[in-house]
Amino acid sequence: YYAHLERAKLQDLVDPPADQGEAILLRWIDDSLYITTNRSLAEEYASRMITGFPEYNISCNHAKTLVNFDLEVGGLKCNKPNP
């Protein structure tokens, strides 16, 4: 189910063109870790996941989403890890 979502809706972020840097998506059940060298890809991944995919009945809770940069999606601020 999640693997299908990744292939159908996130493939451009999981396997970006070479000129956009590198990225990897790690998933364990319904938790994911997206790592990339391109901030705009990270912002897009977070935005898509928080906005959600109604056809899959999947969205991420912005309050549980951690990013290492300032990010606001739909007026909601994502958390940064404590140092």
Side-chain angles (χ1 to χ4, degrees):
Y1 195 72
Y2 284 96
H4 186 271
L5 168 76
E6 290 169 16
R7 285 190 308 274
K9 303 291 184 177
L10 302 171
Q11 191 61 39
D12 60 321
L13 301 175
V14 174
D15 189 22
D19 65 336
Q20 290 188 16
E22 297 180 53
I24 187 168
L25 177 61
L26 306 172
R27 181 177 41 84
W28 179 254
I29 313 298
D30 64 349
D31 292 326
S32 63
L33 174 63
Y34 182 70
I35 302 169
T36 181
T37 57
N38 183 323
R39 181 175 171 158
S40 65
L41 291 176
E43 291 173 346
E44 180 62 23
Y45 176 80
S47 177
R48 289 187 200 179
M49 293 304 292
I50 291 169
T51 301
F53 302 94
E55 64 272 32
Y56 291 88
N57 195 30
I58 292 173
S59 65
C60 289
N61 182 342
H62 84 281
K64 293 181 177 180
T65 300
L66 297 175
V67 294
N68 63 349
F69 52 88
D70 293 326
L71 180 65
E72 189 173 305
V73 176
L76 303 170
K77 290 184 180 181
C78 293
N79 296 314
K80 292 169 89 171
N82 293 327

